[in-house]
């Protein structure tokens, strides 16, 4: 009887180990255990070399009360001396109906930014960081929220106020917020419609870039529908640099953004 019990226990343990091994294999080693990861890797990274790493830090609250405004911070400064430095940061949400959130090219800025996103359901949120040698470094976090953030209209769409404030810019530069940098915080007024609400097509900011007086680009940003309404985004700039900039951009309907960013 004892021997039979030991044999059965061994079979159960072996079965559990096989199930865990199968799960790991099906997620291709994803630390967050997402079954969506293999498809996302193929879609966004192709066959480029990649690794999961703690050097890419993604912060979000343990639980966000407002699924339409989930705070997110991405910090890839630990890769500043890796592979020639950071070339781009791509942010995606595994289980959002629109997965790609934004792509950030730091150029002369630090590889770090903060913003808010819409979250349809609890999901891994990932920052895919490509260094200049072509390699990808992936970090992520499991974001929790009440849900439905992508499929309800924003406040300015409901009350119609977006028409009066479209593409207006508020911007300010703060000194020494993060050691060795100046923080640029900007807000661009836009409804950022996802196209997933009946009768409201996709309408979102498409491109933003920061230029100095010599027309040199300090960073570029491509945005997609899951970025929250009236995007507020923070960037870290080097201490040394011009006191003011110009913000240029457009939305997917061709409306232009052009604003001076003072010190």
């Amino acid at each position: 009887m004892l021997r039979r019990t030991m044999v059965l226990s061994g079979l159960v343990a072996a079965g559990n180990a096989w199930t865990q091994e199968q799960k790991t294999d099906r997620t291709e080693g994803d630390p967050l255990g997402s079954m969506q990861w293999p498809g996302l890797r193929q879609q966004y990274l192709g066959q480029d070399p990649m690794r999961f790493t703690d050097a890419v830090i993604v912060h979000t609250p343990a639980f966000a009360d407002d699924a339409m405004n989930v705070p997110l911070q991405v910090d890839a400064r630990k890769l500043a001396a890796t592979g020639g430095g950071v070339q781009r940061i791509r942010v995606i949400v595994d289980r959002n109906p629109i997965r790609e959130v934004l792509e950030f090219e730091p150029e002369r800025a630090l590889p770090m930014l903060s913003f808010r996103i819409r979250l349809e359901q609890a999901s891994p949120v990932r920052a895919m960081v490509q260094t200049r040698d072509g390699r990808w470094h992936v970090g992520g976090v499991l974001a929790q929220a009440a849900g439905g953030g992508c499929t309800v209209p924003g406040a300015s769409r409901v009350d119609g106020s977006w028409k009066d404030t479209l593409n207006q810019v508020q911007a300010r530069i703060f000194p020494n917020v993060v050691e060795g940098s100046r923080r640029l915080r900007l807000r661009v007024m836009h409804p950022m419609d996802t196209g997933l609400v009946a009768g409201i097509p996709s309408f979102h900011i498409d491109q933003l870039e920061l230029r100095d007086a010599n027309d040199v680009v300090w960073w570029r940003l491509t945005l997609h529908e899951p970025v929250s309404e009236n995007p507020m985004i923070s960037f870290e700039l080097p201490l040394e640099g011009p006191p003011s900039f110009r913000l240029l951009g457009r939305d997917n309907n061709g409306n232009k953004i052009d604003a001076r960013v003072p010190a």
Side-chain angles (χ1 to χ4, degrees), residues 177-199:
V177 178
V178 171
E179 184 178 358
S181 76
R182 297 175 293 160
R183 175 165 297 175
L184 165 61
R185 180 175 297 158
L186 62 85
R187 186 183 193 190
V188 184
M189 305 302 288
H190 202 285
M192 298 298 289
D193 297 312
T194 63
L196 300 175
V197 178

Side-chain angles (χ1 to χ4, degrees), residues 33-197:
S34 172
M35 295 299 180
Q36 288 82 23
W37 168 250
L40 294 172
R41 191 221 191 282
Q42 183 62 38
Q43 179 179 356
Y44 292 105
L45 307 183
Q47 298 303 312
D48 292 346
M50 63 77 59
R51 65 172 182 136
F52 295 109
T53 176
D54 293 336
V56 177
I57 303 169
V58 183
H59 285 298
T60 193
F63 185 88
D65 294 328
D66 185 355
M68 297 181 68
N69 290 281
V70 179
L72 202 67
Q73 182 187 72
V74 177
D75 185 352
R77 287 177 296 167
K78 290 184 179 180
L79 296 176
T82 300
V86 173
Q87 181 169 332
R88 74 185 77 248
I89 299 174
R90 183 175 293 159
V91 178
I92 65 170
V93 180
D94 287 29
R95 297 176 191 148
N96 261 6
I98 302 170
R99 289 167 163 172
E100 195 163 5
V101 177
L102 58 76
E103 184 166 298
F104 175 50
E105 298 175 53
E107 298 292 342
R108 297 191 171 199
L110 277 64
M112 179 179 182
L113 74 168
S114 303
F115 53 100
R116 293 174 183 265
I117 67 171
R118 297 171 182 258
L119 193 66
E120 185 64 15
Q121 59 181 302
S123 174
V125 178
R126 303 179 192 275
M128 303 171 166
V129 180
Q130 187 181 39
T131 44
R132 296 189 182 278
D133 60 2
R135 295 181 177 274
W136 291 91
H137 312 261
V138 180
V141 67
L142 181 62
Q144 301 273 2
C150 295
T151 51
V152 294
S156 66
R157 175 62 71 177
V158 172
D159 64 21
S161 61
W162 67 272
K163 299 175 184 177
D164 300 321
T165 61
L166 185 68
N167 288 341
Q168 291 181 8
V169 175
Q170 302 164 358
R172 185 179 174 188
I173 296 176
F174 301 84
N176 300 323
V177 178
V178 171
E179 184 178 358
S181 76
R182 297 175 293 160
R183 175 165 297 175
L184 165 61
R185 180 175 297 158
L186 62 85
R187 186 183 193 190
V188 184
M189 305 302 288
H190 202 285
M192 298 298 289
D193 297 312
T194 63
L196 300 175
V197 178

Side-chain angles (χ1 to χ4, degrees), residues 166-258:
L166 185 68
N167 288 341
Q168 291 181 8
V169 175
Q170 302 164 358
R172 185 179 174 188
I173 296 176
F174 301 84
N176 300 323
V177 178
V178 171
E179 184 178 358
S181 76
R182 297 175 293 160
R183 175 165 297 175
L184 165 61
R185 180 175 297 158
L186 62 85
R187 186 183 193 190
V188 184
M189 305 302 288
H190 202 285
M192 298 298 289
D193 297 312
T194 63
L196 300 175
V197 178
I200 304 176
S202 172
F203 183 40
H204 63 92
I205 299 171
D206 184 39
Q207 298 283 338
L208 289 174
E209 63 180 33
L210 191 72
R211 293 177 176 264
D212 63 21
N214 296 317
D215 217 29
V216 174
V217 176
W218 281 65
W219 53 253
R220 290 189 181 91
L221 191 65
T222 301
L223 296 91
H224 299 277
E225 294 92 332
V227 175
S228 293
E229 177 184 24
N230 300 327
M232 182 177 289
I233 311 174
S234 295
F235 305 86
E236 302 299 330
L237 304 176
L239 287 175
E240 299 297 326
S244 63
F245 297 88
R246 186 181 180 191
L247 181 72
L248 296 170
R250 66 174 187 270
D251 63 29
N252 67 331
N253 278 11
N255 300 301
K256 295 186 180 301
I257 299 165
D258 189 344

